[in-house]
Amino acid sequence: MSLNSSKQIKSSLPSLLKSPTGIPGLDEITGGGLPKGRPTLICGGTGCGKTLFSIEFIVRGAIEFNEPGVFMAFEEKTEELAANVASLGFDLDQLQKDERIKLDYVHIDRNEIEETGEYDLEGLFIRLGYAIDSIGAKRVVLDTIENLFANLNNEGILRSEIRRLFNWLKEKGVTTIITGEKGEGTLTRNGLEEYVSDCVILLDHRINNQISTRLLRIVKYRGSAHGTNEYPFLIDEDGLSVLPVTSLTLDHAVTTERISSGIPSLDKMLEGKGFYRGSSILVSGTAGTGKTSIAGSFAQATCQRGERCIYFAFEESPNQIVRNMRSIGFDLQVHIDAGLLQFHASRPTLNGLEMHLVTIHKLIREFKPQVVVVDPITNLITVGSISEVRSMLMRLIDFLQAEQITVVFTALSMNTVVGEQTDEGVSSLVDAWLLVRDIESNGERNRGMYIMKSRGMKHSNQVREFVITNEGLELVDVYLGAEGVLIGSAREAQQLQEATGVALRDHAVTRKDREVERKRLVLESKIASLREEFESVQEELNKAFVDEELRQAIMERNREQIIRNRHNDQ
Amino acid sequence: MIEPSTIGDLNLDGDEEPYILRLFVTGASSNSIRAITNIKQICDTYLADRYSLEIVDVHQQKQIAEQEQIIALPMLIKYSPLPRRRLIGDMSDTQHVLTGLGL
């Protein structure tokens, strides 16, 4: 067999060289991509995304990594393929014209073929070799070579030729994806896995409770560490995206910036400044305790600061929320019109948890909000188990914290016993936890709110009464009196009573004041009359004194006169 | 190895259509050589004077592999008479070759 083109020196690639796929999340799990220069087997059942995976590998390789690729399709015609991926924004025709990719549709019609003896697949080798050389391809996809088994009878020849093909591809140093349909009890129907020893990725499409989840697992990756979990992945209008189940590190940047909750009295309970930016806040409570109102007020405050907010509603439609918020004085429509607020409402059962997560991811990436509201997370339980919801929320929180986005979750608790698993076990994941509770007493129902936890700040340990008014939300200090904690009308009665007491005391004080004034006036007039009296006495005294002096002077004069007169007589 | 068309004297005035055949081979591989020998023998025996056989070395014209949807080699394509048939292998199974040629 002459294979001149492949008579190259075996490339001595270090085992760790990898070829990035460009598929979000996958390169993270595989530590950089698929093994470079080696074949990778992608297997899975019908409709699990094998073809899309491989076409994305080729297209992203050509666009993002400047590695031209050959896509050899054994199932779909190239035009069909181009049409199928056009919705993902991949223009295969243009890429072909630019010689960055090459599509080749291999058509074999069993009815047309007569086998007349010994043969080999040299035609395939020549064809593929020519395609690779014509564009300098670094990547090759064979989708799916197993089709040959259906159309050619001599399995012995096929097997040995396929083995030879894989060796030949390795020698050519092209990174290859071979797809294979899942078989009974084996990874592929025709046992392709025995020829591909470097990397095997299994795609699965599972339906649980009528809800489908796509999962990806790396069965084997020789010479490389890799994630071994089943990773959920999604196919949407942007192609594939794999979600690593957990991010491996906990090293998000943090900020000390604080943002208001939109409820001034709540901010006051949090050192007067509100929550940390980028923190996660859980508002839990029983039905009708105003969780959505708190979330709405947070959204309102965000938009009023001129920041963007996405509101994921799993219970109510956007119009419903806007109408309801208007009744407590928040006009959210204004912010929607201004492009600051975006609603995304869907029933949890619309799709699996992972799809929700990816939708959330995608919208956040597009809209770049500063605040995200998820209302409520409890509804997600209808599409997954508690542990699944918890893992999904954990990943969501991880992602949001990495992006410095503040998130508010609301959760409905079914009972009022704190610490029971009513909050999907996320309370340990969140930074702040507000609990709104019904307090029923004296034949009425009131709302009490307290801060269960708030990491990294002092916070009030008081239960506040949570009042929803036409002008918004308010927290009122509960009345702590001799009879215990008073709330609702009992509190108001107590407050009225106190107000009455104050009025009465005020009244008493004024009366006493007037009396004092009167007394003062009386005394002052008395003082005035005494002073008058004193003056007249003084005058009287003065007058007597002058009289006396006058008399003295006259008498003196008279006596001298007399003396003189007497002398004159002598 | 290129063998230019071995054109026998085409019997065009007969009732039967002429056989237009093209054999794709890969250089001088043993399968190719056997296929050429075998098909010539069969044609001479059963289709004397009413066939044209062209032998193409795919290595020399690589792009033809895609054009003609070639995977397995050697391969003989019968273009005429219709229906078009593809015969793969070294043509050693005479019975199958004859079936494939519609004889």
Side-chain angles (χ1 to χ4, degrees):
Chain A
M1 212 60 28
S2 61
L3 261 180
N4 299 322
S5 55
S6 68
K7 289 267 164 60
Q8 297 166 337
I9 306 149
K10 256 197 175 174
S11 42
S12 53
L13 286 162
S15 56
L16 284 174
L17 266 187
K18 294 184 180 175
S19 202
T21 58
I23 294 171
L26 183 67
D27 294 339
E28 207 172 307
I29 305 167
T30 53
L34 304 181
K36 199 178 181 72
R38 287 161 184 276
T40 295
L41 175 66
I42 309 284
C43 47
T46 317
C48 69
K50 299 185 294 289
T51 302
L52 189 72
F53 185 110
S54 28
I55 195 85
E56 223 182 312
F57 175 70
I58 290 290
V59 172
R60 291 195 187 275
I63 296 174
E64 293 173 25
F65 306 106
N66 201 24
E67 290 194 357
V70 173
F71 191 96
M72 199 167 237
F74 292 80
E75 280 178 334
E76 281 177 285
K77 286 190 175 157
T78 49
E79 304 86 62
E80 289 169 359
L81 203 61
N84 291 350
V85 298
S87 59
L88 305 178
F90 298 157
D91 189 349
L92 295 189
D93 290 336
Q94 190 55 46
L95 285 168
Q96 280 216 89
K97 274 182 210 142
D98 298 345
E99 298 210 322
R100 291 160 83 184
I101 65 166
K102 167 111 186 77
L103 302 179
D104 185 4
Y105 168 56
V106 176
H107 173 77
I108 309 174
D109 184 355
R110 191 184 176 90
N111 300 318
E112 232 183 46
I113 287 176
E114 197 73 46
E115 290 185 29
T116 66
E118 286 279 307
Y119 58 89
D120 55 46
L121 299 184
E122 193 61 24
L124 177 65
F125 283 70
I126 294 170
R127 191 163 165 180
L128 189 53
Y130 179 69
I132 292 171
D133 295 340
S134 65
I135 59 165
K138 298 272 185 293
R139 300 178 176 208
V140 168
V141 168
L142 302 172
D143 177 49
T144 162
I145 200 159
E146 281 185 308
N147 236 23
L148 294 179
F149 286 93
N151 291 305
L152 299 174
N153 292 327
N154 196 329
E155 216 180 299
I157 290 178
L158 284 177
R159 290 195 179 279
S160 70
E161 286 294 279
I162 286 176
R163 187 184 297 275
R164 186 165 72 92
L165 178 70
F166 291 168
N167 286 332
W168 175 73
L169 287 166
K170 263 194 215 180
E171 279 173 29
K172 280 191 92 69
V174 288
T175 311
T176 310
I177 286 184
I178 298 113
T179 63
E181 193 91 357
K182 198 173 182 335
E184 292 286 327
T186 53
L187 287 176
T188 59
R189 207 173 275 164
N190 299 96
L192 286 180
E193 60 270 26
E194 62 184 274
Y195 308 115
V196 184
S197 50
D198 294 291
C199 181
V200 178
I201 295 175
L202 179 66
L203 305 182
D204 198 1
H205 193 188
R206 225 173 284 160
I207 312 282
N208 255 339
N209 297 328
Q210 293 102 44
I211 286 152
S212 82
T213 309
R214 294 175 188 275
L215 295 162
L216 175 150
R217 181 163 68 93
I218 299 168
V219 179
K220 154 166 145 182
Y221 199 144
R222 185 172 286 179
S224 165
H226 60 84
T228 49
N229 298 332
E230 281 193 314
Y231 298 96
F233 74 97
L234 277 159
I235 297 176
D236 62 9
E237 57 266 36
D238 295 327
L240 232 75
S241 43
V242 184
L243 294 159
V245 170
T246 47
S247 82
L248 304 168
T249 50
L250 276 173
D251 55 359
H252 341 285
V254 291
T255 167
T256 50
E257 194 191 335
R258 304 285 276 266
I259 54 173
S260 163
S261 62
I263 308 169
S265 36
L266 176 59
D267 293 345
K268 220 153 72 187
M269 289 174 82
L270 303 158
E271 296 180 339
K273 296 183 238 172
F275 298 106
Y276 282 119
R277 182 179 291 286
S279 63
S280 43
I281 300 142
L282 174 70
V283 181
S284 73
T286 46
T289 45
K291 299 179 297 294
T292 301
S293 304
I294 294 175
S297 112
F298 207 83
Q300 163 88 353
T302 305
C303 297
Q304 275 175 346
R305 282 195 301 272
E307 298 176 353
R308 279 189 300 275
C309 174
I310 299 192
Y311 197 116
F312 294 98
F314 291 122
E315 219 168 38
E316 293 172 278
S317 75
N319 291 336
Q320 222 174 334
I321 294 171
V322 169
R323 182 200 64 195
N324 296 348
M325 287 299 126
R326 200 170 282 145
S327 75
I328 56 169
F330 300 150
D331 192 355
L332 297 180
Q333 190 62 44
V334 177
H335 303 308
I336 296 176
D337 296 341
L340 290 172
L341 180 63
Q342 197 179 67
F343 273 99
H344 180 82
S346 60
R347 284 275 165 211
T349 44
L350 176 70
N351 36 41
L353 275 181
E354 301 309 328
M355 190 69 188
H356 282 298
L357 183 53
V358 168
T359 314
I360 292 174
H361 266 240
K362 263 193 62 185
L363 285 171
I364 288 171
R365 288 236 158 91
E366 282 165 21
F367 194 63
K368 300 196 189 313
Q370 279 80 25
V371 169
V372 170
V373 176
V374 184
D375 177 35
I377 52 171
T378 351
N379 262 18
L380 295 171
I381 203 80
T382 50
V383 285
S385 68
I386 285 183
S387 72
E388 283 166 344
V389 174
R390 187 184 149 89
S391 113
M392 174 224 171
L393 291 172
M394 189 161 76
R395 277 177 289 151
L396 180 60
I397 292 173
D398 269 349
F399 166 69
L400 293 170
Q401 292 197 330
E403 306 274 321
Q404 285 286 303
I405 297 168
T406 317
V407 59
V408 179
F409 299 110
T410 69
L412 175 71
S413 10
M414 298 304 171
N415 58 38
T416 51
V417 183
V418 178
E420 290 212 2
Q421 227 167 11
T422 49
D423 54 348
E424 292 17 275
V426 289
S427 51
S428 65
L429 296 173
V430 296
D431 297 314
W433 182 10
L434 305 181
L435 199 70
V436 195
R437 286 183 60 185
D438 271 340
I439 303 172
E440 200 182 312
S441 59
N442 301 333
E444 63 175 29
R445 197 172 67 89
N446 292 296
R447 303 177 181 93
M449 184 208 261
Y450 51 98
I451 301 172
M452 285 289 285
K453 75 168 188 185
S454 184
R455 285 180 183 150
M457 64 179 85
K458 278 190 199 131
H459 53 271
S460 163
N461 65 350
Q462 297 295 301
V463 179
R464 297 289 155 93
E465 189 182 344
F466 175 51
V467 187
I468 302 179
T469 68
N470 290 342
E471 281 79 43
L473 308 175
E474 216 183 315
L475 297 177
V476 187
D477 285 349
V478 293
Y479 184 82
L480 280 168
E483 304 95 67
V485 173
L486 297 180
I487 47 164
S489 42
R491 170 180 52 77
E492 272 169 23
Q494 183 67 35
Q495 282 172 345
L496 265 181
Q497 205 175 319
E498 278 189 4
T500 316
V502 167
L504 285 174
R505 204 171 57 238
D506 280 358
H507 185 64
V509 166
T510 23
R511 206 177 49 204
K512 232 168 211 156
D513 273 355
R514 277 202 301 275
E515 211 175 294
V516 168
E517 183 69 13
R518 267 198 306 274
K519 265 209 170 115
R520 193 172 60 84
L521 285 174
V522 169
L523 281 173
E524 274 178 357
S525 57
K526 262 187 186 162
I527 290 168
S529 72
L530 278 174
R531 186 167 285 143
E532 298 277 312
E533 212 177 300
F534 168 71
E535 270 172 14
S536 62
V537 170
Q538 198 179 30
E539 211 168 305
E540 197 68 30
L541 283 174
N542 279 347
K543 191 174 162 220
F545 182 68
V546 170
D547 283 356
E548 188 64 23
E549 266 192 351
L550 264 175
R551 195 181 304 128
Q552 197 86 33
I554 293 167
M555 274 171 70
E556 192 72 20
R557 223 173 28 239
N558 288 349
R559 202 174 61 233
E560 281 175 11
Q561 193 67 46
I562 292 166
I563 291 170
R564 238 185 346 261
N565 290 345
R566 206 178 275 168
H567 281 291
N568 291 343
D569 297 337
Q570 286 169 357
Chain B
M1 147 174 170
I2 305 176
E3 188 108 346
S5 352
T6 318
I7 304 172
D9 301 321
L10 283 178
N11 185 0
L12 293 172
D13 42 67
D15 293 333
E16 288 158 275
E17 271 187 80
Y19 276 77
I20 299 172
L21 309 173
R22 202 188 245 185
L23 179 65
F24 298 92
V25 294
T26 49
S29 71
S30 52
N31 278 342
S32 303
I33 292 165
R34 273 203 305 280
I36 294 167
T37 319
N38 289 334
I39 194 65
K40 274 189 180 162
Q41 206 179 349
I42 291 168
C43 287
D44 286 340
T45 312
Y46 298 92
L47 298 167
D49 297 340
R50 52 187 182 103
Y51 76 95
S52 91
L53 176 67
E54 187 189 350
I55 293 170
V56 180
D57 183 356
V58 184
H59 272 309
Q60 305 296 324
Q61 305 178 49
K62 291 184 177 171
Q63 70 281 6
I64 210 165
E66 190 184 342
Q67 287 160 19
E68 293 291 350
Q69 285 291 355
I70 296 168
I71 291 292
L73 286 175
M75 177 171 72
L76 178 82
I77 300 183
K78 180 191 73 159
Y79 293 95
S80 166
L82 292 170
R84 181 189 284 215
R85 297 285 290 181
R86 287 158 182 265
L87 284 69
I88 58 173
D90 61 7
M91 312 292 153
S92 57
D93 186 335
T94 311
Q95 200 49 53
H96 272 108
V97 175
L98 292 177
T99 316
L101 291 173
L103 291 169

